[in-house]
Amino acid sequence: EKGKEGWLPPLEVLWADPTITKASGDRLPLVWNPGGPVPIVIQRSSWRKDGAFVCLKGGSPSAPHGHMDGGNFILELGGVRWAHELPCEEYNRLEQMGINLWWMDQKSTRWNLYRLNSQGHNVPAIDGALQRAQGKASIIEVKDGTANGEGSSAKLDLSSLYPAAKRALREGVLAQDGRSYALTDTFVGLKSGASVTWQMVTRAAATADGNVLTLKDGGKTLTVRAPEEAVWTIAPAEGPKPLNTPNPGATMVSFTLTAGDVDLKIPVNFTVEK
């Protein structure tokens, strides 16, 4: 978020690659999967300002400074950021309140914090439970078809974060033209009657009509279509006070589906108006 990490940009001077110029920008890769202990996948439609940008995050909540955000995503379409990450909490304030920020167990008071636990991130929840602190989201497949005009896709295995499911997958497919993105969650082996809540933080103006969510920001409109049986809920992205810092202007959009006797598949489609 702007203004929150002002000490980071100067580091770009130290790590910048001087061989990369504005002229070479169009030759940079559109899909980036660097690996590492906290893996991410970045997908782009182009390097233009109005190009699409998506980032999917793996890793474990138990990592240093970790959040319960395995599978979290940030989304920009049409030059507008629609799916947001909330700012970090101020550690000193929390330690003065008695929060043990350095105990990463499931029962740690660290996970009472909205910005740190899975309630404040763009990740699903099963029966309202938090993600498993010792679990880890892994990137299991990345496809880059951008050279052939086919867009790109990334698949994450979230299974160890969700013990209520035998397997949990999240897959994102970005269209080459940068106008649409499809995110699909698949849960295998849920108990019949289990509830799965899909959620996303946004700073756009939101209205809903059944399973169709409309977001407006910067003169652009994004349509988010959930499964037909879904009903969108729009609420402030806020945790209980006084423990949690307010998030003015942030909204949590969500819907909840119930698992039947078969695997639950949740496709969500994003389309920006031209």
Side-chain angles (χ1 to χ4, degrees):
E1 296 297 329
K2 292 181 180 178
K4 291 295 183 179
E5 303 292 348
W7 59 275
L8 287 174
L11 298 179
E12 296 176 7
V13 177
L14 299 177
W15 275 275
D17 184 346
T19 65
I20 297 176
T21 65
K22 184 176 181 180
S24 65
D26 289 340
R27 298 194 298 272
L28 293 174
L30 297 178
V31 179
W32 189 55
N33 176 27
V38 185
I40 62 171
V41 177
I42 292 177
Q43 298 163 255
R44 290 181 177 272
S45 63
S46 72
W47 284 91
R48 298 190 302 269
K49 289 184 178 181
D50 62 349
F53 167 86
V54 187
C55 179
L56 281 164
K57 179 186 176 295
S60 173
S62 63
H65 299 279
H67 292 190
M68 288 181 167
D69 61 354
N72 195 45
F73 72 100
I74 290 173
L75 173 65
E76 294 182 8
L77 294 176
V80 175
R81 178 161 297 190
W82 304 101
H84 283 256
E85 166 80 1
L86 293 173
C88 294
E89 281 284 7
E90 186 177 336
Y91 281 9
N92 182 58
R93 178 186 72 85
L94 296 169
E95 290 179 321
Q96 289 179 346
M97 296 177 69
I99 300 298
N100 187 345
L101 289 168
W102 313 113
W103 183 37
M104 311 303 283
D105 186 82
Q106 191 73 31
K107 296 181 180 179
S108 173
T109 50
R110 175 184 180 86
W111 307 126
N112 294 334
L113 295 161
Y114 185 79
R115 292 183 181 180
L116 274 61
N117 67 30
S118 48
Q119 294 173 341
H121 287 90
N122 306 330
V123 298
I126 301 175
D127 290 330
L130 299 179
Q131 288 187 340
R132 182 172 171 267
Q134 301 304 315
K136 183 177 181 179
S138 302
I139 297 168
I140 59 174
E141 184 179 88
V142 177
K143 293 182 179 180
D144 181 2
T146 55
N148 300 320
E150 298 175 355
S152 60
S153 66
K155 183 182 291 186
L156 278 68
D157 188 340
L158 313 180
S159 302
S160 63
L161 295 169
Y162 295 97
K166 291 182 179 178
R167 198 171 193 206
L169 303 172
R170 167 161 278 190
E171 182 175 14
V173 179
L174 179 64
Q176 182 62 55
D177 63 6
R179 312 309 303 182
S180 63
Y181 180 66
L183 189 67
T184 302
D185 294 334
T186 303
F187 295 93
V188 178
L190 289 174
K191 289 184 178 179
S192 180
S195 65
V196 176
T197 298
W198 191 101
Q199 62 182 30
M200 182 185 84
V201 176
T202 187
R203 294 186 178 277
T207 57
D209 182 7
N211 70 316
V212 178
L213 177 75
T214 301
L215 302 179
K216 294 182 179 294
D217 190 0
K220 295 292 182 68
T221 299
L222 182 78
T223 300
V224 189
R225 190 174 298 274
E228 289 186 3
E229 63 273 27
V231 177
W232 285 99
T233 298
I234 302 169
E238 299 285 352
K241 307 296 185 295
L243 180 62
N244 292 282
T245 301
N247 301 307
T251 299
M252 183 67 80
V253 293
S254 65
F255 61 86
T256 299
L257 299 179
T258 301
D261 296 326
V262 296
D263 302 337
L264 184 61
K265 195 169 188 176
I266 307 175
V268 179
N269 295 287
F270 305 79
T271 306
V272 68
E273 287 186 1
K274 294 183 178 180

